[in-house]
Amino acid sequence: MGGLTSAAGVVGFLSEPDTELQVYALEKLNEQIDSLWTEIAGSVDQIEALYEDESFPERELAALVAAKVYYNLQEYDESMVFALRAGKLFDLDHEEEFEDTIISKCVDTYIALSAMHNPATPVSTANDLPPQLTTAFPSTSNGATSTSASLTSPTTPFSQSALPSRSLLSRQDSSTAFDPSLPGGGNAGVPGAHPSPLALQRTLQKQLHVIIEDLFEGCFRLGRYRQVVGIAVEARNLDMIRRSILRASKDQKAHKIEGCDTGEELMDYVLETCMSVVQERGLRNDILRLILDLLNEIEAPDYFSIAKCIVYLNEHPMASDILGRLVKKEDPKTLAIAYQIAFDMYDNSSQEFLKKVIGALPQPPTPEIDQPTSETNIQVDEASTETDQLLQDSKNHADESKPVKMSLDQQKAFRSISDILRGTKTIELELEFLYRNNHTDMNVLNKIKDSLEARNSIFHTAVTLANAFMHAGTTNDKFFRDNLEWLGKAVNWSKFTATAALGVIHRGNLGQGQKLLEPYLPKEQIAGANVGSAYSQGGSLYALGLIYANHETVALDLIRKHFQNATEEVVHHGGALGLGCAGMATGDEGIYDDLAKVLFTDSALNGEAVGIAMGLIMLGTGNIKALETMITYAHDTKHEKIVRGLALGMALIMYGRQEAADELVNGLLDDPDPILRYGGIQTLSLAYCGTGSNKAVRKLLHVAVSDVSDDVRRIAVMSLGFILFRKPNSVPRMVELLSESYNPHVRYGAAMALGISCAGTGLDEAIDLLEPMIKDPTDFVRQGALISLSMIMVQQNEAMNPKVGTIRKTLQKAVGDRHEDAMTKFGSAISLGIIDAGGRNCTISLQTQTGNPNMAGIVGMAVFIQYWYWFPLTHFLSLSFTPTAVIAVDQDLEVPSFKFHSATRPSLFDYPPEQESKVEDAPEKVKTAVLSTTAQAKRRAQKKEKLQRRESMDLDQTPTTPKTADPSDKTETDELVSKKDEERGDGEKNDFEKRDGEEGKEAQPAAETLKRKMEREKVGYELENMSRVLLPQLKFISFPDGRYEPVKKPTGGVTLVIDRSPSEPKSLMELKARKNIRSAAAPESLQDHIDQVMGQSGGPSGGAAAAAGVLTAVDEGGEGDDEEAEVPQEFEYHSDGGEE
């Protein structure tokens, strides 16, 4: 029977009293519903009536037909309800558009219902927050409440906010404010959160669960465990997550499904999803605890995943316990795993957490020969106990650190783990790597110095910063020693910045840091004695903090002592920055009180640095007492610099606190002072950094286009980079329109947001947006574009990104262009330092190599962008520099000498070529056109000369013929100069074309040459241990050497390897950075020793010795002689009314 052309006749059967006719009508309508639904829609009431008639035999069929009618009417809620009532007639396996849509709707409803019945753990319970802020912000009718409504808790469930824009659920709009008391953690009804679930009857809810269970079971049969896990995570159904992982493990053992995830792989997927996608902190903690329980139940658990969960949950007793259990097994492999976990913990944890872990480790008995080590441990324990009390999280520290009996090997292992957790071993190995592989191009640095006038302080500072970034961590300060005359031109704050640059260059040089800076450090006041420049003294304290950044040692006490004894404001300024760097995240209230005393002197000069340092000391602690003090003083003081420093300090205190920072954010954003609103945006960005929070992004975009302050709009756009640095591909699309804004501050913010989020990626979409901004009419926009390009292009070569050569030439051209603005020149100079950071061995990364947020890197970047107001803060960018290396150490923590394999062509990840040193002082002569008659005369003369030589048979002498008149090369000599240039453009490159800006003509031959070179290269080559390995290269690294095997897949940094032949003698690598230490000689002899970059006991060393006399000299006119400038004398003036 053919298809129906009209439903009128069949629909009429629905009114018949005969049941069989009604059933027949429903069957025919069900078959032809897609083409006849418009005629059936008018009779949907009759179909519903048939379903509601309990005596009707085919009620489920009536419900199915009604569901399809409502589906075509786009009434999806009603359609889903009747589909549920259809029971078994609703076929999940029938893959049509109707079934797919209803299943999707069922899943969304299940998620909403499940989230309502499984609310997230309240933030206060999950994170043990201290009491709320009691400081009252300005209360207005549009006060914090309205801001809270607009912010609606920037962390929202990712399930609906991650849906594409075409989703029906994403179209919902509501003005409901965030209310934690609501079911589902207060997110039901919030735009972008879970929708309010339908009020379903219990029978329908049971049918919904049956459909979902059938759906899950179908996924299990096909091995699609990840789909089930994804739905369970969104629905907050932890039981389903556990069930999925156990089912995967069971199927793996039974070998039911091949090629599917194992239980361990599924747990890794859940862990990755939890860390990168889940935005609610309470839910994330619950999932991590679930994973932790499952991992501990496995016979051979993945200790590295366990450690990752422990670090995020801040469970330091569990961290100490797992390290202790691994060491006590006394197996070489488990010992290597324990060391690797300790290295990973140092990379991913704060100083406060690490001190607690060290304090909770089993303490060996204290033998007499090991007295220094035990004293160190006791000091660490005391410091850890003090920190615990400060943070109201005290534990039974004394019980945990009681000495226990253990073997000598265990004692050695625990001491080694303590050294690793303190960071001493990691810093030493990274310093050695940067020292060995320094590939700084001195030609570029010298060109920057020659192009910028040193008498201009901004240019002198730019060269200083470029040198610091290029040599960051390499300990090579030869540039200062070779350019003492240039260095002597530094005055006042330029001298401060130059001295602090030594801290960037020698960062991590823990053994010699104090002696390197000894000539610069503040000295006791002696009557009639010259104690040196206050600017170099302040800069030296800043440098000392940078050397020991995020590594609390005796240097912190030394800086604190000088800070307490200082009388000069400049010394206070440098000392505060040094304390902040060295004492980062320690939560030391003693240091905080010292800083507060200086703050209350109300000095604008040191107040900004003190405010930042207070935030660095309390980094991430959420200390309410500190916040109240800073908020109150920010409202009391009249100095903008102090308010700006306090605003950033408050943001640092709320680092990573997420929902806990909402109240502070709301209050700051409602403040009438634009500087405090600026701080509110910074607080929002640091509290949610790396979370990808959609609500935070929405708030930032709103402020970026609505605030009346250009500064606030600029930081709002820049902050997008902090929120989204884990999703760099999404940032160019988000800031594309902002990069074309009429407001130059917004354009600058868009450029910096790209640089922050896409740093080190070489992302083409970001580069395409930044290239037009290089020619922006506003100078600071060009500056931001150049800095961002260098951050994105760091460690990129021509093979990885063909545009890198053109960008490098653009940066060098901007430095040497005498018509360019000073701000742009400054940006291009430091950009050349950034793109070659750490001797071309460092990248810029806001996350660690294991995927966690890089606390020091994020903080360094957040303070670096304040260079807009204060150039010395630029040095903080060095905290974001991450060495890219594979450093293999064995279970004895020694560096074996062996090679590993990279399955790529050598040139793909090679260092970029150094710039050729060319003398360009003399102007190039322009070639003139040669007449044809002149060329003919020359050819006649040459022919005659050859004939004469042939006749004389003088064949022993080599003829010297000029290169200009070779008849084999040129047949026509009366061509125009333009024609010659065109031919020359097809051949070799020339400097004339470079100065004309024709980089495009040169790039094509270079790219072709590189391509041919790569084609000739053999795939695969060997690398020595402690070699540079870029992040994209890690997946190609293998260890074919049969003797050494890594304990885990290399992720960069320090990698523990197991020696399979421990009885055989092993070859170790000599640590040159440690060995190459000699007594400091006179400055004259140091000029001839490039490699001598550190000193030994007996005096200052390296650049400190060579430049001490220059930098410590008091500037002409006396820096501290006159506290204030003299008041000008009165003068006479004439007015219309006569003389006075």
Side-chain angles (χ1 to χ4, degrees):
M1 180 178 176
L4 297 175
T5 59
S6 175
V10 179
V11 169
F13 289 159
L14 297 175
S15 303
E16 294 292 332
D18 189 353
T19 304
E20 294 182 1
L21 289 176
Q22 291 174 338
V23 172
Y24 173 80
L26 290 175
E27 291 175 349
K28 291 302 178 185
L29 293 178
N30 184 43
E31 294 174 0
Q32 305 292 330
I33 192 76
D34 292 334
S35 58
L36 301 177
W37 68 269
T38 52
E39 299 181 55
I40 306 171
S43 304
V44 69
D45 293 339
Q46 298 181 26
I47 300 174
E48 289 187 30
L50 291 175
Y51 167 76
E52 293 172 359
D53 185 2
E54 296 183 359
S55 63
F56 186 69
E58 295 292 341
R59 295 180 61 202
E60 293 182 348
L61 179 60
L64 181 62
V65 174
K68 292 184 178 181
V69 172
Y70 280 118
Y71 163 74
N72 285 284
L73 290 172
Q74 296 187 4
E75 294 290 342
Y76 298 112
D77 289 337
E78 293 291 333
S79 179
M80 182 197 69
V81 169
F82 278 100
L84 292 175
R85 290 170 176 172
K88 296 181 180 180
L89 293 182
F90 179 64
D91 188 4
L92 296 178
D93 297 329
H94 189 254
E95 296 182 0
E96 294 290 343
E97 187 176 352
F98 166 71
E99 284 78 11
D100 291 344
T101 304
I102 298 304
I103 290 174
S104 176
K105 188 65 180 176
C106 288
V107 170
D108 291 337
T109 305
Y110 167 78
I111 289 173
L113 286 171
S114 183
M116 183 181 68
H117 294 298
N118 298 286
T121 306
V123 179
S124 57
T125 304
N127 302 290
D128 298 326
L129 288 182
Q132 297 296 309
L133 283 170
T134 58
T135 302
F137 288 97
S139 57
T140 61
S141 59
N142 297 322
T145 303
S146 63
T147 307
S148 178
S150 62
L151 185 62
T152 59
S153 184
T155 49
T156 60
F158 60 92
S159 58
Q160 304 303 329
S161 55
L163 287 176
S165 59
R166 293 183 179 180
S167 170
L168 292 170
L169 300 178
S170 66
R171 297 177 191 167
Q172 294 184 357
D173 189 14
S174 171
S175 58
T176 307
F178 179 82
D179 184 3
S181 64
L182 291 176
N187 295 295
V190 176
H194 292 301
S196 298
L198 295 174
L200 298 178
Q201 299 176 1
R202 289 200 174 185
T203 55
L204 292 181
Q205 290 188 22
K206 290 181 180 178
Q207 185 61 30
L208 176 65
H209 282 284
V210 169
I211 289 179
I212 295 298
E213 285 293 330
D214 290 343
L215 186 66
F216 286 167
E217 189 61 34
C219 291
F220 288 150
R221 286 196 302 269
L222 298 175
R224 298 173 180 173
Y225 308 108
R226 297 191 179 193
Q227 295 182 7
V228 179
V229 167
I231 296 175
V233 169
E234 293 191 49
R236 308 172 187 269
N237 193 334
L238 302 183
D239 292 335
M240 182 54 67
I241 297 176
R242 175 189 289 272
R243 176 182 162 190
S244 301
I245 295 174
L246 295 177
R247 177 66 178 268
S249 301
K250 180 180 177 181
D251 291 346
Q252 176 195 359
K253 293 179 180 178
H255 302 286
K256 288 185 177 181
I257 307 172
E258 297 183 358
C260 295
D261 292 330
T262 62
E264 289 78 7
E265 292 173 343
L266 191 59
M267 273 191 282
D268 291 340
Y269 171 74
V270 175
L271 183 60
E272 181 184 356
T273 302
C274 183
M275 301 301 294
S276 60
V277 180
V278 178
Q279 297 175 5
E280 289 176 276
R281 199 172 184 182
L283 176 61
R284 188 183 303 170
N285 289 349
D286 292 340
I287 296 176
L288 288 175
R289 289 190 177 92
L290 170 64
I291 297 174
L292 204 55
D293 293 340
L294 291 173
L295 287 170
N296 287 325
E297 294 175 3
I298 300 176
E299 296 180 1
D302 183 357
Y303 290 105
F304 302 111
S305 297
I306 293 176
K308 195 172 184 179
C309 296
I310 288 172
V311 169
Y312 185 84
L313 293 171
N314 202 28
E315 295 284 352
H316 66 91
M318 296 181 68
S320 303
D321 179 65
I322 189 174
L323 291 173
R325 284 192 284 119
L326 289 171
V327 170
K328 290 176 182 178
K329 289 184 178 181
E330 295 190 352
D331 177 64
K333 184 174 182 179
T334 56
L335 180 61
I337 292 175
Y339 287 158
Q340 184 68 67
I341 290 175
F343 279 114
D344 292 344
M345 283 184 180
Y346 172 75
D347 290 336
N348 296 284
S349 309
S350 64
Q351 294 188 55
E352 184 265 341
F353 176 83
L354 294 172
K355 284 195 296 185
K356 289 182 179 180
V357 175
I358 294 172
L361 286 174
Q363 299 297 318
T366 309
E368 295 181 0
I369 56 173
D370 292 331
Q371 189 67 26
T373 303
S374 61
E375 288 178 356
T376 305
N377 289 335
I378 293 172
Q379 292 175 1
V380 172
D381 293 344
E382 293 174 353
S384 180
T385 305
E386 179 183 359
T387 307
D388 292 349
Q389 294 172 353
L390 294 176
L391 297 178
Q392 302 177 357
D393 190 24
S394 59
K395 301 288 182 184
N396 254 336
H397 210 61
D399 295 338
E400 293 176 346
S401 57
K402 285 183 178 179
V404 295
K405 293 183 179 180
M406 58 183 70
S407 64
L408 293 178
D409 290 339
Q410 291 181 358
Q411 295 180 28
K412 179 182 176 182
F414 281 119
R415 292 194 185 98
S416 298
I417 289 176
S418 297
D419 290 339
I420 295 171
L421 293 175
R422 292 189 187 98
T424 308
K425 197 66 180 177
T426 301
I427 294 173
E428 179 187 14
L429 293 172
E430 289 181 348
L431 182 74
E432 175 68 22
F433 162 72
L434 294 174
Y435 176 81
R436 280 173 170 268
N437 299 277
N438 183 13
H439 282 72
T440 302
D441 191 349
M442 295 302 297
N443 294 326
V444 175
L445 190 56
N446 289 326
K447 185 175 180 180
I448 298 174
K449 177 182 71 71
D450 296 337
S451 301
L452 300 179
E453 178 55 52
R455 288 176 294 183
N456 192 329
S457 62
I458 184 175
F459 291 155
H460 195 285
T461 300
V463 178
T464 299
L465 295 171
N467 173 47
F469 290 157
M470 284 186 182
H471 292 100
T474 63
T475 70
N476 186 347
D477 50 21
K478 183 177 183 294
F479 179 79
F480 280 156
R481 292 176 283 151
D482 288 350
N483 297 278
L484 295 180
E485 181 181 354
W486 166 85
L487 192 61
K489 296 180 182 179
V491 294
N492 297 337
W493 289 106
S494 295
K495 183 176 293 185
F496 177 93
T497 307
T499 309
L502 292 172
V504 178
I505 295 172
H506 291 276
R507 185 188 172 202
N509 195 353
L510 304 181
Q512 299 295 320
Q514 183 176 343
K515 293 180 180 179
L516 285 164
L517 295 172
E518 190 174 353
Y520 307 91
L521 293 173
K523 299 174 179 59
E524 295 182 3
Q525 297 284 347
I526 302 176
N530 180 15
V531 294
S533 168
Y535 290 94
S536 65
Q537 293 175 3
S540 66
L541 294 179
Y542 185 13
L544 200 59
L546 290 169
I547 290 177
Y548 296 91
N550 199 24
H551 183 74
E552 184 182 5
T553 57
V554 291
L556 184 62
D557 296 331
L558 178 63
I559 301 172
R560 184 179 180 183
K561 177 182 176 182
H562 286 301
F563 179 80
Q564 292 172 335
N565 298 333
T567 56
E568 296 282 348
E569 290 183 334
V570 179
V571 181
H572 274 146
H573 185 95
L577 294 176
L579 282 174
C581 289
M584 187 184 300
T586 58
D588 192 322
E589 286 196 354
I591 298 177
Y592 175 85
D593 292 338
D594 292 341
L595 293 167
K597 290 178 183 177
V598 177
L599 175 70
F600 294 148
T601 62
D602 203 41
S603 168
L605 184 61
N606 54 34
E608 183 176 19
V610 168
I612 296 173
M614 293 165 75
L616 289 171
I617 294 295
M618 294 292 176
L619 179 66
T621 61
N623 191 302
I624 296 297
K625 179 182 176 182
L627 287 173
E628 290 177 347
T629 302
M630 297 167 77
I631 293 170
T632 303
Y633 197 78
H635 285 111
D636 293 342
T637 186
K638 297 181 180 179
H639 296 292
E640 289 187 359
K641 289 178 68 68
I642 296 179
V643 178
R644 184 172 293 113
L646 290 172
L648 178 56
M650 288 186 284
L652 292 169
I653 291 176
M654 282 299 181
Y655 166 81
R657 305 298 292 182
Q658 296 189 25
E659 297 96 335
D662 285 354
E663 183 186 4
L664 178 62
V665 170
N666 296 337
L668 292 175
L669 290 181
D670 276 335
D671 200 283
D673 188 348
I675 301 178
L676 288 179
R677 296 203 303 276
Y678 184 101
I681 294 296
Q682 288 181 305
T683 305
L684 182 63
S685 66
L686 290 179
Y688 293 97
C689 59
T691 63
S693 170
N694 296 313
K695 293 300 179 180
V697 169
R698 188 173 300 161
K699 185 62 181 177
L700 292 175
L701 291 174
H702 172 71
V703 174
V705 297
S706 63
D707 200 278
V708 296
S709 170
D710 285 337
D711 287 349
V712 179
R713 297 178 70 177
R714 184 179 67 248
I715 190 63
V717 183
M718 275 194 287
S719 297
L720 292 171
F722 289 98
I723 302 293
L724 298 169
F725 68 78
R726 283 180 168 173
K727 303 175 182 177
N729 294 322
S730 64
V731 179
R733 178 167 45 88
M734 187 170 295
V735 303
E736 183 175 2
L737 293 178
L738 295 174
S739 66
E740 300 174 359
S741 170
Y742 71 93
N743 190 324
H745 292 268
V746 174
R747 299 199 301 271
Y748 172 87
M752 293 300 293
L754 290 170
I756 293 169
S757 60
C758 305
T761 62
L763 193 64
D764 291 333
E765 292 84 353
I767 297 169
D768 292 339
L769 286 180
L770 289 170
E771 283 180 330
M773 301 176 76
I774 298 175
K775 301 177 182 178
D776 194 276
T778 307
D779 52 359
F780 62 80
V781 177
R782 297 196 297 272
Q783 179 193 78
L786 293 173
I787 293 175
S788 296
L789 279 172
S790 65
M791 292 166 66
I792 294 172
M793 283 298 191
V794 64
Q795 287 198 322
Q796 300 284 314
N797 58 21
E798 293 278 358
M800 299 172 67
N801 195 316
K803 292 184 178 180
V804 67
T806 304
I807 291 174
R808 284 181 178 271
K809 292 174 185 176
T810 302
L811 295 174
Q812 295 174 12
K813 181 181 178 182
V815 171
D817 189 353
R818 62 183 63 185
H819 301 292
E820 188 60 85
D821 293 313
M823 292 184 69
T824 308
K825 285 188 173 183
F826 175 86
S828 60
I830 64 174
S831 297
L832 286 168
I834 294 171
I835 202 171
D836 288 340
R840 298 183 173 180
N841 292 301
C842 290
T843 188
I844 297 175
S845 179
L846 301 189
Q847 57 182 334
T848 63
Q849 292 169 336
T850 54
N852 288 347
N854 179 8
M855 183 188 70
I858 293 171
V859 170
M861 184 66 73
V863 181
F864 159 72
I865 60 178
Q866 308 306 314
Y867 83 89
W868 178 280
Y869 303 103
W870 194 232
F871 285 153
L873 298 180
T874 311
H875 284 312
F876 268 85
L877 183 62
S878 62
L879 301 183
S880 301
F881 293 166
T882 304
T884 52
V886 170
I887 305 173
V889 297
D890 59 16
Q891 55 264 38
D892 295 326
L893 296 184
E894 296 176 330
V895 185
S897 177
F898 73 101
K899 294 182 179 181
F900 49 88
H901 183 75
S902 176
T904 61
R905 290 184 170 88
S907 59
L908 181 57
F909 298 107
D910 199 6
Y911 290 96
E914 293 190 2
Q915 182 184 4
E916 296 181 2
S917 180
K918 295 183 179 180
V919 180
E920 299 180 354
D921 296 333
E924 184 179 343
K925 295 182 180 180
V926 180
K927 295 184 179 181
T928 57
V930 182
L931 299 177
S932 58
T933 55
T934 306
Q936 291 175 1
K938 288 183 178 181
R939 284 198 293 270
R940 292 194 204 99
Q942 288 178 0
K943 188 176 181 180
K944 185 176 181 181
E945 185 180 356
K946 289 181 181 179
L947 184 60
Q948 290 177 353
R949 287 201 303 269
R950 190 177 297 115
E951 292 176 353
S952 61
M953 298 299 291
D954 188 7
L955 301 177
D956 294 335
Q957 297 180 358
T958 303
T960 57
T961 57
K963 297 181 180 180
T964 55
D966 190 349
S968 62
D969 292 340
K970 299 178 182 178
T971 58
E972 297 181 4
T973 55
D974 54 352
E975 300 177 6
L976 297 175
V977 176
S978 60
K979 182 68 177 292
K980 295 179 181 178
D981 292 340
E982 184 179 353
E983 293 178 353
R984 185 174 54 198
D986 295 334
E988 298 180 353
K989 304 174 188 176
N990 54 81
D991 294 336
F992 181 76
E993 289 178 338
K994 291 182 182 178
R995 287 194 298 270
D996 284 347
E998 299 180 0
E999 289 90 353
K1001 294 182 179 180
E1002 301 171 9
Q1004 294 178 357
E1008 293 176 359
T1009 303
L1010 179 63
K1011 184 178 180 180
R1012 289 196 297 269
K1013 178 184 176 183
M1014 290 185 63
E1015 290 175 351
R1016 291 195 300 266
E1017 290 178 344
K1018 182 181 178 182
V1019 176
Y1021 64 103
E1022 304 295 325
L1023 284 170
E1024 290 284 350
N1025 188 16
M1026 204 172 280
S1027 294
R1028 186 183 84 149
V1029 177
L1030 304 187
L1031 297 180
Q1033 189 179 3
L1034 285 171
K1035 57 186 177 184
F1036 301 106
I1037 296 299
S1038 60
F1039 289 75
D1041 190 323
R1043 180 165 183 177
Y1044 295 102
E1045 178 186 0
V1047 296
K1048 71 168 187 175
K1049 186 177 181 181
T1051 56
V1054 181
T1055 301
L1056 263 293
V1057 293
I1058 301 172
D1059 188 355
R1060 290 183 170 275
S1061 304
S1063 58
E1064 299 180 5
K1066 58 183 178 181
S1067 174
L1068 300 178
M1069 299 185 71
E1070 182 183 9
L1071 300 183
K1072 297 181 180 179
R1074 180 197 298 172
K1075 299 293 183 181
N1076 193 15
I1077 299 176
R1078 295 187 296 177
S1079 300
E1084 294 81 9
S1085 63
L1086 288 175
Q1087 299 284 345
D1088 302 325
H1089 300 286
I1090 298 176
D1091 295 330
Q1092 182 180 357
V1093 293
M1094 293 187 293
Q1096 203 173 2
S1097 59
S1101 61
V1110 177
L1111 289 178
T1112 57
V1114 179
D1115 298 332
E1116 295 182 3
E1119 293 173 354
D1121 296 341
D1122 299 323
E1123 294 183 0
E1124 297 181 357
E1126 296 181 0
V1127 179
Q1129 298 179 355
E1130 297 182 0
F1131 57 91
E1132 297 180 356
Y1133 63 94
H1134 298 276
S1135 63
D1136 295 339
E1139 289 188 3
E1140 290 185 9

